[in-house]
Amino acid sequence: MTDEDAPRGDNEVTGPEALARVKELVEDIDFTMLTTHDEAGNLVSRPMSTREMDDAGDIWFFTSDDTKKVDEVEADHAVGLAYLDAKGMRFVSVAGAARVVHDRSRMEQLYTPSLDIWFEDGLETPGIALLRVTPREVEFWEPAHGKIVMAAGMLKALLTRDTPDDTMRHGRISC
């Protein structure tokens, strides 16, 4: 991943610092909405639980071969991921390319018993697969100085009818 050559503000983060922060956010927030294109070209989303963001920046999920999302990913690899932590005011947006992966050793590394809810026979479940999303563009937003300072800044801006300043930290990575 490389950083974008755009002007940045004081709270703009790029490069290795942004990548490290995205990894922390993605793995901490866990659930995301995966957006694909259906047969009619509509955008459709469903929740997914993140297993890992690896050192190459790929984001991994478990799935089943016999799902609509797999059909949609195989027809059009372009996907979006939207992570949201409303209480922490943390957000991540990922535009990337998805691929279905059948790699038993990788599955063994990423599988946990909590997945037994969806995969009754664990790794022996017929059709179990991995979904790998390779990011192309990633952005994140989070409080620059913590939630309390952010809330105070927003309240001040509301009272003074001024634009809040220095409340959110933003990061962008072009991969």
Side-chain angles (χ1 to χ4, degrees):
M1 295 185 168
T2 61
D3 59 13
E4 186 177 87
D5 295 327
R8 338 182 278 175
D10 290 342
N11 286 327
E12 195 76 17
V13 182
T14 60
E17 180 185 355
L19 179 58
R21 188 63 190 137
V22 166
K23 179 176 173 48
E24 289 174 18
L25 290 168
V26 163
E27 291 181 349
D28 187 47
I29 296 172
D30 181 18
F31 283 97
T32 187
M33 293 298 287
L34 168 71
T35 302
T36 58
H37 291 96
D38 70 10
E39 291 176 1
N42 298 308
L43 294 171
V44 293
S45 301
R46 78 279 291 155
M48 300 287 289
S49 176
T50 304
R51 296 291 92 200
E52 176 186 66
M53 182 174 185
D54 66 23
D55 292 339
D58 291 335
I59 302 170
W60 294 85
F61 307 90
F62 273 92
T63 190
S64 293
D65 283 327
D66 62 350
T67 60
K68 284 187 178 187
K69 74 177 150 292
V70 166
D71 295 340
E72 293 162 0
V73 161
E74 289 178 342
D76 182 351
H77 298 294
V79 300
L81 301 173
Y83 291 85
L84 162 68
D85 170 20
K87 288 184 179 181
M89 294 296 293
R90 302 177 307 160
F91 312 90
V92 180
S93 174
V94 177
R99 300 271 187 219
V100 177
V101 176
H102 297 95
D103 179 340
R104 177 64 182 218
S105 67
R106 190 74 174 118
M107 286 186 212
E108 288 172 356
Q109 291 172 348
L110 297 175
Y111 196 87
T112 61
S114 65
L115 294 169
D116 289 348
I117 295 169
W118 293 282
F119 305 103
E120 187 175 302
D121 296 323
L123 290 174
E124 304 308 318
T125 302
I128 191 170
L130 291 168
L131 187 67
R132 180 185 70 210
V133 174
T134 301
R136 301 287 179 244
E137 293 286 331
V138 181
E139 290 191 76
F140 72 88
W141 301 263
E142 63 182 340
H145 305 289
K147 290 190 312 184
I148 293 172
V149 173
M150 183 186 79
M154 293 175 90
L155 179 60
K156 175 186 170 197
L158 184 64
L159 294 172
T160 61
R161 302 215 185 276
D162 202 0
T163 303
D165 59 340
D166 201 28
T167 59
M168 295 295 280
R169 181 167 85 150
H170 174 252
R172 182 179 182 110
I173 305 165
S174 294
C175 310

